Amino acid sequence: MIIGVPKEIYPGERRVALVPMALPNLLKAGFEINIEAGAGEQAGYPDHLYTEKGAKVASDRKALFDTADILVQVLCYGSNDVNGEEDLKLLRRGHVLIGFLRPLGSADVILQLAKTGVTSFSVELMPRTTRAQSMDALSSMGAICGYKAVLIAADTLPRMFPMMTTAAGTITPARVFVIGAGVAGLQAIATARRLGAVASAYDMRPASKEQVQSLGGRFIELPIEAKNAQDARGYGTQQDESFYDRQRELLGRVVAENDVVITTAVIPGKKAPVLITEEMVKSMAPGSVIFDLAAERGGNCELTRMGETIIRHGVTIIGRINVAGGVPYHASQMYARNLSTFLLHLVKDGKLNLNMQDEIIRETLFTRDGEVVNQRVREFLSLPAPVAAG
Ligand code: NAD
């Protein structure tokens, strides 16, 4: 089977789906690999590194799609809502497509993709199990987002992060507060601590307390309890408005005491809850920084503007999106590892093995034969149950 690696086309996207060091295992398993010229260039992987490992370079994008059996991408149509549509005409029935597809996004886009007939797998639907951990792209990209957000916040803050005792006086450490201690939040805490800041975090899932503490962060307990805070997959669940009202009230004082606030609170398929109001921003010291990692999902701060950095009431509010794309070398390396493990899982004896008894395959399979076949997505779109997929 031929794997095609197209160049990413989302404006500013520098990642690539497979890196040269992922090729030997795939070639050993019998795959052939074609890349679009320059596919890894922006991530620090020029074409010759791929050809030295045994890949071929396709003459153009159309030729790449025409010859490929499996296409691996970072941002496919769906998650690429700017120009991803251009790829629709290149996809056909029989193609396998793997990447970020935003499966709980726009119904029109999902149905448009399904109509191409492509067999697609969405990396966002990967189950959060030990078995699937090495294939979990949300986790690998989340960790990068948490790390990078802290670096950008540190660079933006007019203060230093570590405590310093010098002949010119003593500098107190910066205080960093993380809201939402999932994968990104935990990495933000670890990074802030490494830079010498005093880090604390809050999450409505009580299970996250120990994880925060194990990284040397202080867990902020609020006298409020979420109902079924965590679903079966480990994700936070949506709460009612009275819960969010109370959260905002209780978080006000904590936010005001910190120099940097990193927010990551999201609920799959829903708009992110607003946890920082304009009043709370006003209460922060001038020069403080909010990095809203939930910006793409509507933002955790009322003032966040998606994709922009703004200053309001003396506070810098960063709504940057595609944060993992800002570390393209390692983001591509980690993503390629996730994908190659998945590819090896998906193919048996040189053939696609759609074993629907396998949880990883069943849960990530998104569209097939012109239909959305994923049960979770069908429920999300209020479509009737699928007719015997398998
Ligand atoms: P996420 O990106 O979906 O959400 C980020 C965090 O925001 C979550 O911890 C969530 O509880 C929190 N949140 C949502 N609404 C909130 C609110 N109103 N107030 C406070 N916090 C709020 O989360 P994630 O990074 O995908 O991780 C979710 C869970 O899955 C974590 O427990 C993580 O450890 C677990 N996980 C397990 C595996 C595995 O076992 N393979 C892999 C990845 C993640």
Side-chain angles (χ1 to χ4, degrees):
M1 294 186 102
I2 300 178
I3 301 175
V5 186
K7 199 169 164 170
E8 294 295 313
I9 54 173
Y10 182 80
E13 178 57 68
R14 291 155 69 202
R15 289 171 293 178
V16 59
L18 283 184
V19 301
M21 62 192 100
L23 304 195
N25 273 343
L26 294 170
L27 294 168
K28 213 184 321 159
F31 289 107
E32 287 176 48
I33 293 150
N34 291 350
I35 63 159
E36 184 177 350
E41 193 88 41
Q42 297 275 325
Y45 306 100
D47 289 353
H48 72 89
L49 293 182
Y50 288 90
T51 50
E52 280 161 23
K53 295 275 186 206
K56 291 194 193 108
V57 179
S59 53
D60 60 40
R61 195 172 184 86
K62 184 171 181 318
L64 181 95
F65 275 70
D66 282 350
T67 51
D69 301 298
I70 301 178
L71 288 146
V72 288
Q73 277 182 281
V74 183
L75 302 182
C76 308
Y77 182 47
S79 54
N80 175 356
D81 48 14
V82 176
N83 53 5
E85 202 171 359
E86 288 171 22
D87 282 343
L88 284 182
K89 58 181 184 299
L90 301 176
L91 289 168
R92 58 171 155 77
R93 197 170 278 255
H95 265 150
V96 172
L97 174 69
I98 309 171
F100 280 95
L101 284 146
R102 201 170 290 168
L104 304 181
S106 146
D108 288 347
V109 170
I110 294 171
L111 296 173
Q112 242 180 315
L113 179 86
K115 267 203 203 119
T116 63
V118 70
T119 300
S120 65
F121 292 88
S122 152
V123 295
E124 294 100 318
L125 296 171
M126 190 64 71
R128 297 340 259 285
T129 58
T130 311
R131 225 173 120 237
Q133 225 161 3
S134 54
M135 310 176 205
D136 183 358
L138 277 186
S139 286
S140 50
M141 296 305 110
I144 294 178
C145 288
Y147 159 82
K148 188 74 174 174
V150 171
L151 293 192
I152 295 169
D155 189 39
T156 309
L157 192 72
R159 296 164 166 265
M160 288 197 287
F161 264 35
M163 185 178 115
M164 247 184 233
T165 308
T166 73
T170 299
I171 284 164
T172 54
R175 285 152 306 179
V176 176
F177 176 47
V178 176
I179 303 180
V183 179
L186 290 173
Q187 192 53 239
I189 294 162
T191 307
R193 291 266 303 147
R194 279 185 212 118
L195 290 177
V198 173
S200 60
Y202 162 71
D203 197 296
M204 65 172 183
R205 288 180 304 106
S208 63
K209 178 177 173 178
E210 245 177 69
Q211 293 164 332
V212 170
Q213 290 173 337
S214 72
L215 293 169
R218 188 158 74 90
F219 189 76
I220 304 290
E221 306 226 28
L222 300 183
I224 177 175
E225 214 175 290
K227 284 193 202 97
N228 308 319
Q230 187 165 324
D231 71 10
R233 286 179 291 266
Y235 290 110
T237 51
Q238 192 171 35
Q239 304 293 311
D240 57 25
E241 253 328 290
S242 66
F243 177 85
Y244 294 133
D245 276 344
R246 183 84 181 112
Q247 271 196 318
R248 286 187 283 264
E249 209 178 291
L250 294 166
L251 283 171
R253 184 187 48 80
V254 191
V255 166
E257 282 170 358
N258 280 275
D259 305 302
V260 171
V261 178
I262 312 254
T263 66
T264 79
V266 293
I267 306 293
K270 306 270 189 269
K271 189 187 167 300
V274 171
L275 301 176
I276 302 182
T277 60
E278 179 160 14
E279 279 310 304
M280 288 158 79
V281 173
K282 274 189 199 163
S283 73
M284 296 180 82
S288 300
V289 176
I290 296 173
F291 199 125
D292 194 341
L293 276 172
E296 209 166 349
R297 308 274 291 277
N300 289 140
C301 173
E302 184 173 41
L303 300 178
T304 299
R305 291 244 191 101
M306 186 176 88
E308 290 180 33
T309 295
I310 56 170
I311 299 177
R312 292 288 182 278
H313 311 295
V315 175
T316 304
I317 303 164
I318 305 171
R320 184 158 157 179
I321 55 170
N322 198 8
V323 179
V327 191
Y329 184 88
H330 279 133
S332 303
Q333 184 184 313
M334 290 166 84
Y335 186 65
R337 177 66 191 272
N338 297 145
L339 285 194
S340 50
T341 311
F342 182 64
L343 282 162
L344 295 173
H345 187 78
L346 195 61
V347 170
K348 208 172 170 192
D349 303 326
K351 288 206 186 89
L352 194 64
N353 177 32
L354 285 189
N355 173 12
M356 297 305 276
Q357 304 306 315
D358 180 284
E359 185 195 26
I360 294 174
I361 294 175
R362 185 178 63 245
E363 291 206 10
T364 51
L365 182 61
F366 179 40
T367 67
R368 191 183 177 197
D369 293 335
E371 298 269 0
V372 175
V373 292
N374 187 281
Q375 197 177 334
R376 189 171 154 210
V377 179
R378 289 188 75 95
E379 277 165 24
F380 172 76
L381 298 176
S382 305
L383 295 172
V387 209

